[in-house]
Every structure is written in C-alpha cells, then in structure tokens.
C-alpha cells in the first residue's frame, strides 16, 4: 500500500464542496474590492525565496522543499505567495496596469514542517498583494477584505492584532535598544533567541517560549521609537479601521522580523483553534520589490490559511444536493429514450443522473433516494408507447403524468 506523503491531505468529495464555497466567496469578495487573480508557478528559483522571505527566517532556514532539476538548477516548491507575486509583478511590468495594482492568489504552498493539527506540509493559502501606494487606506482595505471573508465564513471572535514595526529610519534605534536590554538577560533566553539576538533581534519579541515572553514583557514598545512619519501612518490606519468599524487589538510585540517589512503588521487569530490559532497574517513591505530586483514600489499584502479557516468557519453552510433529477427506466425498451431525456435535461441545466449499472427498478428508486434527487422521471414501456412519462416529486411524493415532450414544466426547483 502506498500512502500519501506525511503532512499532506486528500481533499475528498465529502469535503471539497466547502472548498468550492470558500473559493467562490473569495472570488466574489475580491471582485467587490477590485482585486485581480494572478497564478504563478508552484516552484521558483530557490534564490527568489532566499531573498524574498529572508535568510534568517524559519521558512528559509528549515522549511523549504528544495531540489535540483535535471539541469542542476536549484528550485523550491513555493512556501508562500508573496515572493512569487512580487517576482511576477516585476517580470511582467504589471505596474503598467496602473497603480495601485491589486492582485490575489489562491493555491497550495509547501513547507517542511512537523505535521500536526492545522500544520501541514502541503497546505493552501489565499492572499492579496497591493502595489504602488504608501497610503494607510490600502493597508486598511487589505485588513477589511480579510475581515469580510472571515465574517462571511461565519467565524466568530476573530481577533485582529495590529502593530507598526517602523521603517529603516526609526527601527534601527529600537533594535539597538532591544539588543542592549536583551543582552542583560541573555542567560534566561531560549537557545533560538540567543541566536536571534545576533541575526534578527526583533524576532525575540515573537518567541512562544514562556521564559522569553517574561523577559520581553517589560521592554519598551516599538511605538515609542517610531519616527513621526511612521507614527502618523499607524494612527491614520487606526482611524480608518475605526471608520470601517473594525475592532483590533494593539499588540506591541507582534513583528514580522524582516528588514523589508515596514510599518503595518497584523495577524488574525481565533481562540478555539488550539496552538495553531493564526488564520491569517500580513503587513506592509515597502522594501521587498527593490530587494527582488524591481524599482522601489510600495506594497502591502496578506495571506490566509485555508485549512485553518475552514476548520472554524463554514459550519452553517449547507451542501447542495448532488442531483435535481434521476431518470428511472422500467424495462429494456425504455433505455434509449432515457438517454435522450438525460441529454435534454442536462441541456436545460438540470443536474441529472440515471442508472448505469443495470439495476432493478426498486434499486433505481433506492439510488435516487441516496442521491437525494429532488425529482424522478419514470419511463414505463406502456406509457411511453402513448408518449407519456411520470414525474415524481420526491419530497412531496406527488406524481404527475405528463407528455414526453413537455415534462420539464413540471419541475420547480
Ligand atoms: P505559524 O505561526 O502558524 O507558523 P506563519 O507565520 O508561518 O504561521 P504565515 O507565513 O503568515 O504563517 O502564513 C499565513 C497563514 O497560513 C497562517 O496564518 C496559517 O493560517 C497558514 N499556515 C502557515 N503555515 C501553515 C501550515 N504549515 N499548515 C497549514 N496552514 C499554515
Ligand atoms: Mg510557520
């Protein structure tokens, strides 16, 4: 027996309809907000992610699926969407669409992680990226779009955590202060954080270890160190979120520890998901396009975990029945006409099925019940000779005798 690779899932027919509904919801909402879909390859040159996500991150350090192809090129299965979209934005001169360029993507991502509930090696993300505007109104739009989707999924108690991590003018001072303070308590930090202290001290703020949290709790918030421009940006963003009636929690220790993230960072969490409680995250990354080789371009984006979002959302959704109509043929001489009617019904837009296993009439009715067919069209040999068929409403049990050429009118869905 060959099993699926560790950390992957089969999306089976019994669940896939929820995915379709969520995808439909995402597409509708993105259209409302005037975002356009982009599809990029699932693998890219490894150096795109090294540069676009950053060397000091968990993703690049430990989680990438990297391989050499037959021509010895180093390729990597995409661990996230932003770097690829930025690459495509530059390569295809998408700024010519007119700024701001508002894009979204939907698809599988790959990370070599320790599989557990809500954490997989192949998982799916929906994400958006906006290019070309420094204004906080775009940060707010991205947050609003995400919130609307969570709301329409029926996820209650979504917490929006919000912070600003400043820019290249003000962040270095804060990092210097952070380093000074953390050095004093170096002996009490976890092993990872001791390393982070040199590579990426901001990330210490993000550590999940209790002993590190205890130390960072008493440190001054980054807000105190923001330059006037970053402060104003953050305050304006909060005003717009208030205007949109979105409540958020300011989280001074929320960081995305990379140099090209600037100003806004945010995360969406829910309480009832256990350890993996983040259902989405994003922020502004005004330096990334340049980092990947493009012209300096303002940008802000967000990514949502589809599996985790469906784990808490969509509970009130109803699956649509598989078929509207089941065609039952009694006796061999009706089978040809059944096929003709099958084709006609589908042409008229009815989801239609008939027996393809040579079942008895009783078994055909059973099958119609199993498929929760709303109607059955019954072709009996004697009636058919007179050009008649029976249409049975499976819910009310009502049966109508109708002309062969005119039974469609009896169907009310
Ligand atoms: P986490 O802290 O849970 O590792 P992350 O910071 O690595 O999350 P992002 O890179 O911000 O996650 O990705 C955005 C969203 O994608 C997450 O909020 C989460 O919902 C989802 N996600 C990330 N990694 C996985 C995974 N391995 N399996 C399933 N969903 C994931
Ligand atoms: Mg992670």
């Amino acid at each position: 027996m060959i099993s699926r690779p560790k950390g992957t899932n089969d999306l089976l027919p019994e669940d896939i309809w929820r995915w379709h509904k969520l995808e439909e919801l995402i597409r509708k909402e993105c259209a409302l907000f005037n975002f356009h879909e982009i599809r990029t390859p699932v693998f890219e040159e490894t150096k795109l992610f090294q540069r676009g996500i950053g060397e000091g991150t968990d993703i690049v350090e430990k989680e990438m699926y990297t391989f050499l192809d037959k021509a010895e090129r180093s390729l990597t299965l995409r661990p996230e969407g932003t770097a690829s979209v930025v690459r495509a934005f530059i390569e295809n001169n998408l700024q010519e669409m007119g700024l701001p360029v508002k894009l979204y993507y939907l698809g599988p991502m790959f990370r070599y992680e320790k599989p557990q509930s809500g954490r997989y090696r192949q998982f799916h993300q929906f994400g958006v990226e906006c290019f070309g505007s420094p204004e906080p109104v775009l940060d707010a739009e991205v947050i609003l779009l995400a919130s609307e989707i969570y709301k329409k999924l029926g996820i209650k108690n979504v917490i929006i955590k919000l912070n600003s991590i400043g820019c290249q003018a003000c962040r270095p001072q804060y990092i210097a202060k952070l380093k000074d303070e953390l050095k004093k308590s170096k002996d009490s930090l976890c092993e990872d954080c001791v390393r982070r202290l040199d590579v990426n001290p901001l990330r210490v703020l993000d550590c999940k270890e209790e002993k590190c949290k205890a130390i960072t709790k008493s440190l001054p918030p980054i807000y105190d160190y923001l330059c006037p421009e970053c402060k104003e940006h953050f305050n304006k963003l909060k005003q717009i979120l208030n205007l949109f009636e979105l409540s958020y929690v300011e989280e001074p220790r929320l960081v995305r520890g990379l140099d090209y993230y600037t100003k806004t960072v945010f995360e969406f969490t829910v309480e009832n998901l256990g350890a993996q409680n983040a259902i989405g995250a994003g922020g502004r990354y005004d330096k990334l396009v340049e980092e990947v080789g493009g012209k300096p371009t303002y940008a802000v984006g967000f990514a949502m975990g589809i599996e985790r979002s469906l784990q808490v959302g969509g509970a009130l959704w109803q699956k649509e029945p598989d078929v509207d109509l089941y065609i039952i043929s009694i006796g061999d001489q009706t089978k040809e006409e059944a096929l003709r009617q099958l084709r006609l019904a589908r042409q008229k837009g009815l989801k239609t099925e008939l027996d393809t296993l040579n079942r008895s009439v009783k078994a055909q009715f059973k099958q119609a019940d199993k498929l929760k067919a709303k109607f059955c069209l019954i072709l009996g040999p004697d009636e058919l000779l007179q050009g008649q068929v029976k249409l049975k409403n499976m819910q009310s049990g009502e049966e109508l005798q109708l002309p062969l050429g005119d039974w469609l009118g009896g169907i009310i869905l």
Side-chain angles (χ1 to χ4, degrees):
M1 233 298 276
I2 300 174
S3 314
R4 60 179 184 264
K6 204 171 155 185
T8 65
N9 293 297
D10 295 313
L11 300 177
L12 303 176
E14 65 187 71
D15 297 318
I16 199 78
W17 63 275
R18 289 187 185 280
W19 286 69
H20 290 163
K21 274 197 180 263
L22 176 53
E23 285 161 13
E24 194 184 319
L25 165 61
I26 286 169
R27 290 184 198 289
K28 258 200 192 143
E29 213 57 33
C30 283
L32 270 181
F33 279 69
N34 193 31
F35 280 81
H36 301 275
E37 187 179 0
I38 180 163
R39 299 188 192 183
T40 60
V42 292
F43 58 87
E44 297 270 359
E45 267 190 63
T46 301
K47 60 174 182 276
L48 172 67
F49 301 119
Q50 286 167 338
R51 237 189 271 162
I53 303 172
E55 297 280 5
T57 56
D58 284 355
I59 294 184
V60 171
E61 275 184 352
K62 330 183 243 207
E63 297 173 1
M64 294 211 300
Y65 275 93
T66 298
F67 59 96
L68 291 180
D69 75 359
K70 292 187 200 299
E72 309 252 307
R73 297 179 193 94
S74 179
L75 300 172
T76 295
L77 298 183
R78 63 178 183 198
E80 51 105 65
T82 306
S84 308
V85 174
V86 167
R87 198 257 320 126
F89 174 83
I90 301 167
E91 193 167 345
N92 299 288
N93 291 316
L94 293 187
Q95 74 282 354
E96 283 166 14
M97 289 169 72
L99 300 179
V101 174
K102 297 162 69 175
L103 304 171
Y104 78 92
Y105 60 84
L106 192 63
M109 304 294 161
F110 307 85
R111 296 186 193 176
Y112 196 84
E113 302 214 60
K114 197 166 157 241
Q116 50 199 290
S117 165
R119 196 177 287 291
Y120 311 105
R121 290 184 172 173
Q122 173 171 341
F123 63 101
H124 296 75
Q125 282 184 344
F126 149 64
V128 305
E129 318 291 351
C130 300
F131 298 97
S133 170
E135 293 300 319
V137 65
L138 268 187
D139 310 45
E141 260 213 296
V142 168
I143 296 173
L144 181 64
L145 170 63
S147 304
E148 286 296 313
I149 291 173
Y150 292 130
K151 194 164 85 190
K152 289 183 179 161
L153 250 170
I155 306 181
K156 296 207 182 74
N157 309 322
V158 177
I159 300 166
I160 306 176
K161 294 180 181 162
L162 189 66
N163 195 17
S164 171
I165 54 168
C167 65
Q168 281 166 326
C170 54
R171 192 169 12 182
Q173 282 86 292
Y174 181 67
I175 291 179
K177 169 79 180 164
L178 198 62
K179 261 187 160 167
D180 277 353
E181 292 294 327
L182 288 173
K183 270 190 189 140
K184 292 182 202 158
S185 337
K186 197 171 173 179
D187 297 341
S188 320
L189 290 171
C190 76
E191 230 174 83
D192 276 343
C193 283
V194 173
R195 203 170 38 84
R196 285 177 187 138
L197 202 51
D198 291 320
V199 195
N200 202 338
L202 267 189
R203 290 287 310 278
V204 177
L205 294 178
D206 206 22
C207 185
K208 309 274 187 297
E209 295 272 336
E210 287 305 326
K211 56 182 182 184
C212 301
K213 278 193 199 166
I215 293 165
T216 54
K217 214 164 72 185
S218 56
L219 298 177
I222 193 165
Y223 185 80
D224 295 351
Y225 285 74
L226 296 184
C227 62
E229 188 200 312
C230 286
K231 260 191 184 151
E232 196 196 330
H233 193 276
F234 193 38
N235 291 333
K236 260 197 191 161
L237 169 61
K238 288 188 281 184
Q239 276 167 21
I240 303 169
L241 293 180
N242 292 339
L243 186 144
F244 285 157
E245 297 177 74
L246 286 178
S247 30
Y248 50 83
V249 184
E250 278 184 61
E251 187 67 66
R253 269 170 298 278
L254 179 66
V255 290
R256 316 224 89 197
L258 291 176
D259 289 346
Y260 31 77
Y261 280 108
T262 44
K263 301 188 170 82
T264 317
V265 291
F266 54 88
E267 194 173 79
F268 294 85
T269 59
V270 283
E271 260 150 26
N272 43 344
L273 256 187
Q276 271 62 254
N277 67 356
I279 52 173
R284 181 166 274 282
Y285 50 95
D286 290 340
K287 295 288 159 197
L288 182 57
V289 179
E290 229 174 314
E291 187 67 33
V292 175
K295 280 186 257 159
T297 307
Y298 299 108
V300 54
F302 141 89
M304 151 178 175
I306 302 277
E307 282 84 354
R308 289 187 204 172
S309 300
L310 277 176
Q311 213 179 319
V312 277
L316 296 176
W317 283 347
Q318 298 275 321
K319 186 178 189 292
E320 280 177 29
D322 289 328
V323 299
D324 300 318
L325 180 72
Y326 194 90
I327 299 180
I328 290 179
S329 40
I330 304 173
D332 285 345
Q333 46 301 34
T334 64
K335 290 225 184 300
E336 238 177 61
E337 192 54 50
L339 288 175
R340 245 177 249 126
Q341 297 305 316
L342 170 75
R343 185 151 173 258
L344 177 82
R346 287 181 180 156
Q347 278 167 353
K348 295 291 177 191
L350 295 173
K351 290 192 271 182
T352 309
E353 187 60 288
L354 56 55
D355 168 47
T356 48
L357 292 175
N358 251 330
R359 288 183 164 109
S360 70
V361 175
K362 198 174 152 203
Q364 289 180 55
F365 270 109
K366 231 175 159 178
Q367 184 65 6
D369 275 336
K370 199 172 163 195
L371 295 177
K372 299 196 178 64
K374 291 180 200 157
F375 287 88
C376 277
L377 185 71
I378 305 154
L379 306 187
D382 299 339
E383 288 149 327
L384 208 54
L385 280 178
Q386 292 152 29
Q388 299 281 306
V389 290
K390 268 202 200 101
L391 185 68
K392 181 171 180 183
N393 181 327
M394 299 300 278
Q395 225 170 15
S396 65
E398 184 193 12
E399 264 186 31
L400 294 174
Q401 177 123 353
L402 295 166
L404 177 63
D406 194 23
W407 57 266
L408 267 163
I411 297 220
I412 299 151
L413 294 175

